[in-house]
Amino acid sequence: MLFIIISILGCSKDDSSNETILVGNKYANLLFETRRECEEAQELYFINCAQVMEIINESEVEIYLTDILYRTNFYIKNNNLIVESTSSTYEFSEDLVFQILENGDLKLEEETWIKFEGDFYE
């Protein structure tokens, strides 16, 4: 019986190791299909081309949903990256639950947040 319990516990996923692997990753939810579409929209209105999130360390993220930068905590649970809401996260009053996809991207509801380095339109 003890062997079975140890085997089950040994196979459980350690979410804290995933948090370490994600440190430094940047993700973008593109609001326009191409750089040109984004630039054309910016000529008429000041608008962001994407929503962006960066994993700062094992427990903190910075996330732009519009033009406000939020720095808040996150954790990993059941293959989900959960960005915690606070009293100062005006644009989201509930935690944001991102599904971690096999290719390393994230999914928030129907939106795919792509992992990128440098410029997200390249």
Side-chain angles (χ1 to χ4, degrees):
M1 186 67 145
L2 181 60
F3 177 73
I4 293 172
I5 293 171
I6 291 172
S7 296
I8 291 171
L9 292 175
C11 294
S12 66
K13 192 171 185 177
D14 179 14
D15 289 339
S16 64
S17 65
N18 286 338
E19 292 161 359
T20 302
I21 291 170
L22 295 174
V23 170
N25 287 357
K26 295 179 183 179
Y27 300 91
N29 173 37
L30 302 180
L31 302 176
F32 298 92
E33 292 290 322
T34 66
R35 177 187 308 281
R36 181 176 179 196
E37 289 175 5
C38 176
E39 289 171 351
E40 288 172 356
Q42 286 180 333
E43 288 176 13
L44 299 174
Y45 313 100
F46 179 76
I47 188 168
N48 292 338
C49 293
Q51 297 171 317
V52 178
M53 178 171 60
E54 181 176 1
I55 310 297
I56 302 302
N57 59 42
E58 288 85 2
S59 64
E60 292 180 300
V61 298
E62 288 186 342
I63 185 168
Y64 276 104
L65 296 177
T66 57
D67 61 343
I68 300 171
L69 175 64
Y70 297 103
R71 188 173 191 138
T72 189
N73 293 324
F74 82 97
Y75 61 94
I76 305 292
K77 184 175 182 182
N78 299 327
N79 205 42
N80 290 317
L81 183 149
I82 298 147
V83 176
E84 296 180 319
S85 64
T86 68
S87 59
S88 64
T89 54
Y90 307 113
E91 294 179 80
F92 60 102
S93 58
E94 296 182 9
D95 294 350
L96 300 175
V97 180
F98 293 87
Q99 178 186 4
I100 301 171
L101 303 176
E102 287 184 26
N103 67 357
D105 292 343
L106 303 175
K107 188 164 192 137
L108 177 65
E109 297 174 5
E110 298 301 315
E111 301 170 343
T112 299
W113 290 57
I114 60 167
K115 183 178 172 184
F116 74 95
E117 295 179 22
D119 188 349
F120 43 76
Y121 275 114
E122 291 181 6

